[in-house]
Amino acid sequence: MTDPYKTLGIPQNATDEEVKRAYRELAKKYHPDNYVDNPLADLAQEKMKEINEAYDTITRMRRGGGSGQAGYSSGYGGYSYQSGTDYSAIRQAIQSGNLQYAEELLNASQTRDAEWNFLMGSLNYRKGWLDDARSFFQRACNMNPSNMEYRQALNTVSQTNSPYRQTGYGPPAQNGGFDMCDMCTAMMCMNMMCNGCR
Amino acid sequence: MFGYVTPDLPELKLKEYQRFRALYCGLCHELGLRYGLPGRMILNYDFVFLAALLWDGDVPCGYRMRRCAVHPVCRRCVCESSPALTTAAGYSLILAYRKAEDGVEDSRGARRLGARAARVALGRPYRRAAAAYPDFDRQVSDRLRLLKDLENGGCESIDETADQFARLLASASGGVTGNAQRPLSELLYHVGRIVYIADAYADLAEDRKKGEYNPVAARFGVADGKPDEETRQAVLATLMSSSRLAAAAFELMPESRWTPICENIVYLGIPKMIREVTDGTYRAKNRGLPKEPEKNIRRNGE
């Protein structure tokens, strides 16, 4: 079994608070919400499981063998959709990564309603064809403006913000932050490079 | 490729900057060692990133101080050869040669002459690289051919054209085994998609002048070479979505000694490049050697 502390990226002597913080950050990073319709969702789920297990193990060990508290673990599994009768097979095919089958079903479908456009969008999103995905989601939203799921999907592909990085310059516990001294050393180093090599 | 994938240097720690430069020099020396001077001429940043990604966490990294033709007086710290550098060098050579081949067929005038010269110069090194990586060579030639068919047909979907280039790049993960393969393939897919679309967007005016096909113009109907605000927003959104997916894939890669640098590239360098390209502030000369941090500070007026 792997070292649970290593899984969470913290030293053995980390305080309970640090354990919790490390766990929360990792859980946020690998949260299934970040991997909706993502071809790597299963890997993220595995990672999530590892993190949960590591956290459970640590809390159990620290409480002297009592049953650990499962943090974020419950209720993360399958992402539940409200299922339409005709489309549930397609949804399942997209979710399980059987994209070719999903595409065949969608192309064979006679109707071109909001749900169809939404699923077409999801399929394209999963393939990485984000521009087409956006067009389909847009159409789904136009047809059914009140559906939150469609709107959320459209939002995801229309956002223009950069990926959000949880870890900045590494955890403060390890390098003690950025103070004036670091700044001075950095300036000195830069100066040396400036003069030495030109 | 095109040198679009670089770290955001001012945000890089000094020690990471030095290691990044050593990796850059390492790739150059590796190209020189295996493919001679013509190999060195094709050195570019995208493949330094690839070398960093291909680096197995367990493989140690040695550094040596070495001189070269560009830095004859002051020795530079250079990464010693490693499997990742060898692979990245081979892949970049194959891609450069295949692109030169395309250039001979497609372009006219001075460009064609240049492509022809590159094809001749890279011919022998290419054969060596192709013999070492036949799978990648086949992927590159297949994908570029399909891409050209789409471009000649005036394809109106940027996803369809970008998909070919993205898959080409994703196939660079073919030699990797184990847990890292799928995330790496996904990451490279989106990096390839970003590079292809960003390059098309940056070339809008130039392609318009020459009357050549441009995927962004074909998709959004950009008539005068100047995209309107709606087009700009759509391209920005699709590229940023790709960069978020690239970051999500990157988080599933195993840790290696290059993780901090790759993290900078994925979370800061690529989004910054996307912003600059869609703002029109991205300049071609940025594609050259990296500015040292202090020069960057001066240029930014800080």
Side-chain angles (χ1 to χ4, degrees), chain B residues 164 202 293:
Chain B
Q164 295 302 337

Side-chain angles (χ1 to χ4, degrees), chain B residues 169-180:
Chain B
L169 203 58
S171 67
S173 69
V176 178
T177 49
N179 274 343

Side-chain angles (χ1 to χ4, degrees), chain B residues 200-212:
Chain B
Y201 190 90
D203 284 348
L204 270 173
E206 206 187 322
D207 285 346
R208 160 85 190 153
K209 211 160 65 189
K210 287 197 212 134
E212 278 174 12

Side-chain angles (χ1 to χ4, degrees), chain B residues 138-201:
Chain B
R138 202 171 322 115
Q139 277 285 339
V140 171
S141 84
D142 288 354
R143 292 292 163 202
L144 285 180
R145 202 181 50 244
L146 288 169
L147 181 60
K148 204 193 295 174
D149 289 347
L150 284 173
E151 289 180 346
N152 290 341
C155 178
E156 285 183 8
S157 161
I158 49 172
D159 287 330
E160 213 172 325
T161 40
D163 183 59
Q164 295 302 337
F165 191 76
R167 284 187 195 208
L168 180 162
L169 203 58
S171 67
S173 69
V176 178
T177 49
N179 274 343
Q181 199 271 332
R182 278 181 56 209
L184 179 59
S185 166
E186 174 83 359
L187 169 60
L188 290 175
Y189 180 93
H190 283 288
V191 171
R193 185 176 184 273
I194 291 167
V195 166
Y196 182 81
I197 297 175
D199 188 54
Y201 190 90

Side-chain angles (χ1 to χ4, degrees), chain A residues 25-66:
Chain A
E25 265 184 14
L26 287 171
K28 229 192 300 174
K29 200 191 270 184
Y30 296 108
H31 191 286
D33 278 358
N34 296 336
Y35 291 88
V36 178
D37 277 344
N38 192 309
L40 303 175
D42 54 320
L43 294 181
Q45 212 174 349
E46 253 170 57
K47 197 97 184 171
M48 194 73 205
K49 217 174 110 198
E50 270 173 39
I51 295 161
N52 280 330
E53 272 167 15
Y55 183 67
D56 283 349
T57 314
I58 293 173
T59 36
R60 226 181 357 249
M61 282 191 309
R62 294 197 170 190
R63 287 187 185 170

